Amino acid sequence: MSVSFRLLKQSKKSRARLGILKTPHGEVETPAFIPVATRASVRMLDTREIEALGSQMLISNTFHLHLTPGEKIVKKAGGVHGYMDWKKPVMTDSGGFQVFSFGFGRDHGVGKILKEEKEKSIETKQQPSQIKIGEDGVEFRSPINGDKLFLSPRESIKIQEAIGADIMFAFDECPSPLANEEYMKQSLEKTHRWAQMCLDAKKTKQGLYGIVQGGGFTHLRLESARIIGGMGFDGFGIGGEFGYDKKAMEKVVGAVTDALPKNLPRHLLGVGHPEDFAYTARAGIDTFDCIAPTHYARHGTAFTSKGKLDLKKAMMTQDFKPIDPKCSCPVCKTYTRSYISNLLRTHELTGMKLATMHNLYYFNALAKHIRKQIKNGEL
Ligand SMILES: [Zn+2]
């Protein structure tokens, strides 16, 4: 059995929708937040904890599992599910984003959303300093031992098949937000050609999502959505950057989902701070992943119903309330800000773990709230 999507309700107020994503490892109620399990682990947590905090599906990283321990070992352990003893659905990204972050992303120190207007623009045929983007794939050196490595659409699918996630992603070029329009156009052509190569290479019944790129150029995004949308994928990832701010992003993502088949699931790659949940759902997104809950927790920041809370502040040691009095996670039921703050301030790993547990629960609960709002006709 492969992957399928059932639309339960289409909002009358927006593009928001309720759905069920069916996979061989169970169903996911959408819209859903997907925690990032880069190396088949959500940092600080074990598999039982990830599940107890309300997570429905995980996204693991093809690139990192390929480097270590290698997909052969993951396969020997029964695929990613057996390897980490996770019974629920898993997605694997294709490694395309890592190519981006080792390439132009590293050269220019940019992320997905530009902080300023474009200063340095990336021209056609320009190559990043650390990797070589060719017509058939990407050459780069292992960040672990410096070995020469090559990743291509065929190679990525082969690795993802060995990892055995329920849903795989096509291998794409994730262009830098600094790319000019001509670069973006040529990059898109490559991404579309690579998408077909991924479909042709696939031998298993795993689900395969195509990826829509096009940067902040709405007309290129629409062209990409139309082409990728007509290729026979089981669903779609929407990747790359989308413009200078979240408003622009909502507009572009909404236009993209309008151009995609209605009966198939859409995943927004790498976007999902609490303030993104409502508008991405309104734009017609079904699933999305983000490292924010775990990353911020390790740096001492908790997400709460009143916004971000810096648990490392000295005054927190005098505060005997839970992280969020409105939260019903196991951490808020048990521990005080004072206790967790002192652990974090003294670099005790338990502090990072408790903050991670709260944040992950909070993100999953927020997605549940979004589903309720759609159900009640409020979003
Ligand atoms: Zn909590």
Side-chain angles (χ1 to χ4, degrees):
M1 190 183 102
S2 185
V3 166
S4 66
F5 182 72
R6 190 151 59 93
L7 195 60
L8 297 181
K9 182 181 175 176
Q10 174 64 60
S11 166
K12 291 191 175 73
K13 282 191 160 172
S14 69
R15 298 178 180 92
R17 55 208 215 144
L18 270 186
I20 299 277
L21 180 61
K22 280 190 176 177
T23 80
H25 288 87
E27 299 183 345
V28 177
E29 293 179 49
T30 66
F33 172 73
I34 313 299
V36 179
T38 303
R39 294 186 176 88
S41 111
V42 174
R43 282 199 188 136
M44 306 304 306
L45 306 180
D46 72 30
T47 307
R48 299 289 87 75
E49 291 161 337
I50 303 165
E51 188 175 354
L53 296 164
S55 313
Q56 302 189 71
M57 174 160 72
L58 300 175
I59 183 162
S60 200
N61 191 292
T62 301
F63 178 81
H64 287 284
L65 289 178
H66 175 57
L67 292 184
T68 172
E71 61 276 14
K72 279 189 187 136
I73 288 177
V74 177
K75 190 176 179 179
K76 237 184 190 170
V80 65
H81 294 93
Y83 187 54
M84 68 180 292
D85 193 30
W86 172 255
K87 311 273 189 292
K88 294 188 171 196
V90 181
M91 315 171 122
T92 39
D93 72 4
S94 61
F97 179 70
Q98 279 63 42
V99 168
F100 158 71
S101 49
F102 279 114
F104 287 127
R106 182 162 294 180
D107 289 359
H108 299 304
V110 292
K112 299 190 94 161
I113 298 178
L114 284 176
K115 291 196 177 68
E116 296 157 31
E117 285 289 313
K118 298 185 187 196
E119 284 174 8
K120 306 162 258 187
S121 154
I122 292 168
E123 312 289 333
T124 318
K125 299 208 167 74
Q126 193 176 329
Q127 288 277 349
S129 56
Q130 297 300 314
I131 62 169
K132 202 168 157 244
I133 306 170
E135 284 308 302
D136 301 324
V138 185
E139 270 176 44
F140 56 96
R141 287 197 179 272
S142 161
I144 293 174
N145 54 21
D147 282 357
K148 237 189 180 171
L149 296 169
F150 178 72
L151 210 52
S152 68
R154 263 186 286 275
E155 185 69 16
S156 172
I157 293 296
K158 217 171 115 192
I159 298 167
Q160 293 188 76
E161 286 182 339
I163 294 171
D166 301 87
I167 296 169
M168 311 185 282
F169 279 94
F171 187 71
D172 61 328
E173 182 184 359
C174 183
S176 165
L178 298 169
N180 70 9
E181 189 174 343
E182 193 49 37
Y183 184 104
M184 196 66 82
K185 249 180 162 167
Q186 293 188 12
S187 162
L188 259 193
E189 280 166 25
K190 192 181 297 168
T191 283
H192 297 159
R193 200 170 61 245
W194 286 2
Q196 189 57 53
M197 287 165 80
C198 289
L199 282 166
D200 294 343
K202 188 174 92 105
K203 291 194 184 80
T204 63
K205 285 188 174 162
Q206 288 160 278
L208 178 58
Y209 281 17
I211 299 185
V212 175
Q213 289 288 357
F217 303 99
T218 307
H219 66 288
L220 294 181
R221 283 275 176 192
L222 292 180
E223 187 193 320
S224 184
R226 272 191 297 272
I227 294 174
I228 296 288
M231 290 178 84
F233 285 106
D234 302 299
F236 307 98
I238 303 173
E241 64 95 28
F242 305 86
Y244 298 110
D245 58 44
K246 299 190 182 239
K247 263 223 162 86
M249 205 161 136
E250 177 175 0
K251 224 176 125 191
V252 181
V253 174
V256 165
T257 60
D258 279 345
L260 288 171
K262 294 273 171 281
N263 58 335
L264 294 174
R266 304 91 178 240
H267 180 88
L268 187 59
L269 286 149
V271 177
H273 278 65
E275 64 268 27
D276 301 319
F277 280 44
Y279 82 78
T280 52
R282 278 200 306 269
I285 291 299
D286 302 306
T287 55
F288 50 94
D289 70 272
C290 186
I291 59 162
T294 47
H295 178 84
Y296 277 80
R298 292 196 307 279
H299 291 88
T301 298
F303 291 90
T304 77
S305 49
K306 293 228 163 85
K308 283 198 204 98
L309 184 70
D310 182 358
L311 290 164
K312 278 182 151 170
K313 271 202 222 146
M315 57 179 281
M316 284 291 158
T317 50
Q318 300 291 333
D319 191 335
F320 298 95
K321 289 193 290 298
I323 292 177
D324 185 347
K326 286 190 176 155
C327 177
S328 36
C329 86
V331 176
C332 290
K333 275 190 205 156
T334 316
Y335 301 100
T336 62
R337 292 176 179 181
S338 169
Y339 177 65
I340 300 164
S341 175
N342 188 54
L343 292 179
L344 286 164
R345 288 163 61 85
T346 52
H347 311 286
E348 287 289 339
L349 295 180
T350 303
M352 296 188 198
K353 176 175 175 140
L354 294 177
T356 300
M357 289 174 78
H358 161 80
N359 277 357
L360 191 59
Y361 181 94
Y362 181 77
F363 275 56
N364 284 324
L366 199 56
K368 202 173 177 181
H369 176 67
I370 293 284
R371 293 196 293 274
K372 199 173 146 200
Q373 284 185 306
I374 300 172
K375 203 173 174 184
N376 295 343
E378 294 160 4
L379 192 89

